[in-house]
Amino acid sequence: MSRIRVAIQKSGRLSEKSLALLQNCGLQFARSKDKLFWYGQDFPVDLLLVRDDDIPRMLMDGVCELGIVGENIAREVMLDRNGGTGLDLLRKLRFGGCRLSLAVPEDSTAQAAKDLDGARIATSYPALTAHLLKEKGVTARIVELAGSVEIAPGLGTAEAIADLVSTGTTLRANHLRELEVLFESTAALYCGAGELPDDKQALLSRLLMRLDGVLHAAESKYVMLHAPRDAVQKITELLPGAEQPTLLTLEGNSERVALHAVCRETLFWEHLEALKAAGASAILVMPVEKMLA
Ligand code: PRT
Ligand code: ZN
């Protein structure tokens, strides 16, 4: 029987969440402590543990069928190696969020990307940065650095940097000011461009169905509440992403009913307050673990 391989980051920011996501899809692996290959036990999907930078090339070269990697790296490798193509983004995932931003020394006079025309910009993402700047009509002189990009302006090797930012602490610690966001990135599931053989495609479809179930369940909530019978329609409309609710009679109370519904969109406190204002009481919100539409 055919099997497919998924590459994930071996150790780093994306490792734990990538593995947890696959496990939530029901995949279990026979771990080997230091080996890079974990055999899939119940489902014919095996794991390759590698450096994140290697994942796009492995997909393009057909070493594995699937990979979880930051969009920042996938885009960089596609632009660098393949004119911007070579991988298909299957699903964006809800972790690894960051932005590729231009930053300048705090005392720089630059106010926007266009003020950096002709300046030297240090980055670990040379192809992506050059591409995004070109889209803005800025001609950059890219200084490629493998790491510690944030110290380049202080060393006098560049006037600005283009680096990943999440909290901004690193920029502040290096007396840099975020000038402009070039690109928003999250971790994503990718496959190589091109068709898979039918048997592997069927496996991939099964895996994607489970993954969609996990991703939808993550933001879905099961809501139970009591409502005045004549406010049921209004209350249903206040539930974000809910379809027809289930109504149950309350023993000994003909004025009010119990209403159960699945909300497929994030439920905020504001929603609950609005429900209460519309007459709802005994509001219970519960997580949904799995979901198959
Ligand atoms: O060893 P390997 O090559 O596999 O790992 P790596 O060291 O290259 O990657 P890793 O684990 O650092 O990051 C993996 C992916 O996480 C990146 O490709 C991004 O898609 C994503 N990610 C999310 C980030 C950040 N957030 C992030 N903050 N990657 C890097 N950073 C850096 C940032 O540049 C800064 O230097 O972390 C530092 C802290 O950021 P602040 O803004 O919170 O100070
Ligand atoms: Zn890396």
Side-chain angles (χ1 to χ4, degrees):
M1 189 162 96
S2 72
R3 307 182 67 84
I4 54 181
R5 293 175 169 187
V6 189
I8 66 169
Q9 191 185 25
K10 184 172 194 279
S11 70
R13 287 166 200 271
L14 307 181
S15 310
E16 266 181 38
K17 290 194 172 141
S18 302
L19 181 60
L21 181 66
L22 295 173
Q23 286 172 333
N24 281 339
C25 293
L27 308 191
Q28 286 181 321
F29 305 99
R31 297 172 182 228
S32 55
K33 262 253 150 58
D34 30 51
K35 272 196 250 145
L36 303 177
F37 180 86
W38 291 6
Y39 183 81
Q41 284 175 322
D42 300 332
F43 200 75
V45 174
D46 304 317
L47 210 59
L48 290 172
L49 296 120
V50 297
R51 286 202 55 189
D52 63 349
D53 315 71
D54 295 334
I55 294 175
R57 286 181 193 85
M58 292 171 72
L59 289 168
M60 290 174 180
D61 295 345
V63 177
C64 53
E65 287 78 15
L66 295 172
I68 296 178
V69 66
E71 290 173 86
N72 49 307
I73 291 185
R75 290 282 309 268
E76 171 68 25
V77 176
M78 282 195 275
L79 285 163
D80 180 51
R81 175 167 157 159
N82 221 354
T85 61
L87 298 176
D88 288 340
L89 191 157
L90 294 171
R91 297 292 184 276
K92 286 196 183 220
L93 307 173
R94 284 203 198 83
F95 57 89
C98 58
R99 51 197 192 270
L100 181 69
S101 283
L102 288 172
V104 291
E106 279 164 359
D107 56 7
S108 161
T109 55
Q111 291 302 325
K114 62 176 172 27
D115 300 332
L116 297 177
D117 208 31
R120 292 169 304 166
I121 301 180
T123 184
S124 307
Y125 298 91
L128 182 57
T129 301
H131 173 81
L132 296 168
L133 286 173
K134 196 172 162 207
E135 279 183 351
K136 292 177 181 286
V138 178
T139 312
R141 292 155 61 199
I142 302 287
V143 179
E144 183 174 352
L145 294 178
S148 305
V149 169
E150 62 278 359
I151 63 172
L155 295 177
T157 46
E159 284 74 52
I161 66 168
D163 201 9
L164 299 180
V165 181
S166 49
T167 61
T169 310
T170 305
L171 292 185
R172 280 191 293 277
N174 288 279
H175 303 290
L176 296 169
R177 167 164 62 86
E178 195 170 353
L179 191 68
E180 199 168 309
V181 177
L182 293 177
F183 182 69
E184 305 262 8
S185 178
T186 63
L189 177 71
Y190 284 93
C191 66
E195 305 251 311
L196 285 175
D198 286 351
D199 48 349
K200 290 192 178 186
Q201 183 57 48
L203 257 178
L204 172 60
S205 300
R206 264 180 80 197
L207 182 61
L208 284 180
M209 194 156 74
R210 291 188 182 193
L211 182 64
D212 287 339
V214 172
L215 296 176
H216 289 148
E219 67 178 15
S220 295
K221 294 283 181 282
Y222 192 76
V223 180
M224 306 198 289
L225 53 80
H226 291 178
R229 200 174 274 284
D230 54 11
V232 162
Q233 182 166 356
K234 169 137 196 250
I235 283 178
T236 307
E237 285 164 9
L238 289 171
L239 290 166
E243 289 167 11
Q244 299 97 320
T246 305
L247 295 184
L248 304 161
T249 46
L250 286 173
E251 199 59 36
N253 187 338
S254 56
E255 309 281 291
R256 295 175 76 77
V257 289
L259 183 155
H260 294 190
V262 175
C263 292
R264 286 164 173 270
E265 290 162 26
T266 311
L267 197 64
F268 295 106
W269 279 109
E270 287 74 13
H271 291 118
L272 301 191
E273 286 159 5
L275 289 168
K276 204 158 169 45
S281 61
I283 307 171
L284 272 183
V285 179
M286 291 181 296
V288 172
E289 198 180 286
K290 293 191 178 69
M291 203 167 184
L292 212 57

